[in-house]
Amino acid sequence: ETLTHVIASVIKDEPDWGALPKSVPPRAVAVLRRCLAKDPRARLHDVADARIDWAQPSIRVDRQIRACTPAPGAWTTFRQARLKLLAATPDPAAEPLPAGSLRVGRRDVWVGTATSPVRLGLIQPQGKKAMAAADWARGVRPGPDDTLT
């Protein structure tokens, strides 16, 4: 094949994901898929693309967090400080919340999305170690007007 054929193939054909070694972690494959997406709007270009858009459906938020963990790391902001999201789970049974709004329980923290809330698992505040979302919430004590952006 000529260089022209190879470049054309990269542009028009989907990579053979089955050719990756079995030792490649699924999360790394998810990041590769986002980086090599044919639709430029779906590509992961830089760390800004790993910022969570809470106006998206909960399943999309969950997938973005999974795809960006551990690197580059999905993130949001709380009180203008970066908050890295390491684990979250869609919770369709939870009471609906506006996108980005927080609800704090004794053991759980939920964030509103376009559909159902997600339950935050492990998070990492800027300059700190990873911790359970409930422990973080006990420390920062989010008020009724606080949101993730």
Side-chain angles (χ1 to χ4, degrees), residues 119-143:
R119 181 184 297 121
L120 297 180
L122 198 60
I123 63 170
Q124 185 175 2
Q126 191 170 358
K128 304 212 177 189
K129 292 183 178 182
M131 63 181 72
D135 293 340
W136 165 80
R138 276 191 285 283
V140 298
R141 297 183 180 178

Side-chain angles (χ1 to χ4, degrees), residues 41-123:
R41 295 168 295 174
R43 281 189 210 131
L44 185 61
H45 299 249
D46 58 40
V47 74
D49 292 338
R51 186 175 190 161
I52 297 297
D53 177 1
W54 298 106
Q56 295 294 319
S58 63
I59 193 72
R60 187 168 179 144
V61 168
D62 173 58
R63 287 181 180 158
Q64 183 176 357
I65 292 169
R66 289 173 187 264
C68 294
T69 302
W75 62 280
T76 189
T77 59
F78 177 75
R79 296 179 184 161
Q80 301 173 345
R82 190 174 285 199
L83 184 64
K84 195 171 183 180
L85 305 170
L86 304 170
T89 308
D91 191 352
E95 185 178 327
L97 285 167
S101 294
L102 293 162
R103 179 180 305 118
V104 178
R106 284 188 192 268
R107 296 185 181 140
D108 297 301
V109 177
W110 293 270
V111 184
T113 69
T115 54
S116 60
V118 293
R119 181 184 297 121
L120 297 180
L122 198 60
I123 63 170

Side-chain angles (χ1 to χ4, degrees), residues 6-68:
V6 171
I7 292 172
S9 177
V10 167
I11 292 170
K12 72 177 182 109
D13 298 331
E14 192 67 26
D16 180 6
W17 299 108
L20 288 172
K22 299 293 180 211
S23 60
V24 176
R27 289 182 178 171
V29 175
V31 171
L32 285 171
R33 285 180 183 270
R34 290 233 18 234
C35 290
L36 299 175
K38 299 300 176 203
D39 180 355
R41 295 168 295 174
R43 281 189 210 131
L44 185 61
H45 299 249
D46 58 40
V47 74
D49 292 338
R51 186 175 190 161
I52 297 297
D53 177 1
W54 298 106
Q56 295 294 319
S58 63
I59 193 72
R60 187 168 179 144
V61 168
D62 173 58
R63 287 181 180 158
Q64 183 176 357
I65 292 169
R66 289 173 187 264
C68 294

